Amino acid sequence: MVRNMRIPASSRHRQGRAAGSLIFTEAMRREQLVAGLTVCLGVSFTFGPMVFSTFSLFMLPLAREFEWTRAEVSLALTICAACAALANPVCGRLCDRIGGKRVLLAGLLAFAVANAALAFADTLIKLYAIYALLGVGATACGLVPYSKILVGWFRSRHGMAIGLAIGLGSGIGSVVMVQLVRAIIEADGWQTARLTMGALILLIPFPAVVFLLRDSAPDLAQAESQEGPVEGVLASAARRDPTLWKLLPA
């Protein structure tokens, strides 16, 4: 038997691909976890937790300060919901064309600005106009782009992934945001609460989307092509490598 015989190129290539696939799968699972947690965090700053759940907390202070009726204040939420519904198909179209992440970033900026601008809404016209922008911004950083991204990351069981990430994010966000907004209103007033909500969007979900979220998972074939050719190893060295014996049955 000849020592230091080189393993055939076809075997080296097959072993290299198998090892690369294992490494890729482990890395993929970690990145899927990061993507799921990032979406869960982002969903806690969407329409449900930020607008719908907290609207009643602002109704009485606005009615008391500007002498508006509750019906007049409530109309703002109706306008917001209508604008969000109209913006949903456009948002979905943009997600297909330019990707969910870009739509999310633009939506988060608009949503943050609209929340902060509500602190200066001293007329009904301003209130309704800003709530219209709030609805559009909430849609662009809402369930449509987050769901689009999750489907790109979870090729199987994406229904369960969407249910967990969006369900947990929306539920936890609603509970936390209501308590936080109530405490700020009682301590410093409703204007401070609005400014704080806008700042929180820029400080928490916006950087999380920028640094932690991608539109979809990397493709295995693309990852293998980026690794380059597998260099040859000596047979003696290969026999001492436990990875070889794990791959041989395959």
Side-chain angles (χ1 to χ4, degrees):
M1 182 174 180
V2 180
R3 293 181 177 273
N4 295 338
M5 179 182 63
R6 291 187 177 273
I7 298 175
S10 58
S11 298
R12 295 200 309 269
H13 183 65
R14 184 170 60 252
Q15 294 166 10
R17 290 190 61 183
S21 298
L22 290 174
I23 295 172
F24 180 82
T25 301
E26 294 176 0
M28 172 71 80
R29 289 173 181 170
R30 290 194 296 269
E31 293 193 22
Q32 282 179 328
L33 178 61
V34 171
L37 291 176
T38 303
V39 170
C40 185
L41 175 66
V43 170
S44 63
F45 291 86
T46 53
F47 183 90
M50 296 289 288
V51 181
F52 187 79
S53 297
T54 63
F55 184 81
S56 60
L57 300 176
F58 292 97
M59 183 180 296
L60 187 59
L62 288 171
R64 184 187 299 124
E65 182 165 341
F66 299 109
E67 298 182 353
W68 297 333
T69 65
R70 293 195 176 188
E72 290 174 330
V73 178
S74 298
L75 182 58
L77 183 60
T78 303
I79 293 172
C80 182
C83 291
L86 293 174
N88 264 308
V90 179
C91 178
R93 176 75 171 173
L94 287 174
C95 287
D96 289 334
R97 295 189 63 181
I98 65 175
K101 181 173 180 176
R102 292 183 180 180
V103 175
L104 275 175
L105 293 177
L108 286 168
L109 288 175
F111 197 42
V113 169
N115 270 284
L118 282 171
F120 308 99
D122 52 2
T123 67
L124 285 174
I125 297 299
K126 289 181 182 179
L127 183 72
Y128 297 156
I130 297 173
Y131 261 97
L133 175 62
L134 192 73
V136 176
T139 300
C141 64
L143 303 186
V144 173
Y146 281 123
S147 298
K148 170 75 173 176
I149 289 175
L150 279 179
V151 170
W153 274 98
F154 294 86
R155 304 299 170 85
S156 61
R157 299 182 180 179
H158 50 259
M160 183 178 68
I162 292 173
L164 286 173
I166 292 180
L168 287 175
S170 181
I172 295 173
S174 296
V175 172
V176 173
M177 199 57 61
V178 167
Q179 300 304 321
L180 177 63
V181 170
R182 178 185 288 114
I184 296 174
I185 291 176
E186 292 176 355
D188 295 315
W190 65 272
Q191 292 96 337
T192 302
R194 280 298 182 190
L195 293 172
T196 302
M197 292 170 73
L200 286 175
I201 295 169
L202 293 179
L203 292 174
I204 300 177
F206 187 83
V209 171
V210 170
F211 296 110
L212 300 177
L213 203 57
R214 288 187 291 173
D215 282 304
S216 61
D219 184 53
L220 177 58
Q222 180 182 359
E224 289 177 348
S225 66
Q226 292 175 351
E227 292 177 359
V230 180
E231 295 183 0
V233 293
L234 296 177
S236 57
R239 287 195 297 270
R240 292 193 299 270
D241 190 349
T243 303
L244 173 64
W245 304 105
K246 293 178 182 178
L247 297 175
L248 281 178

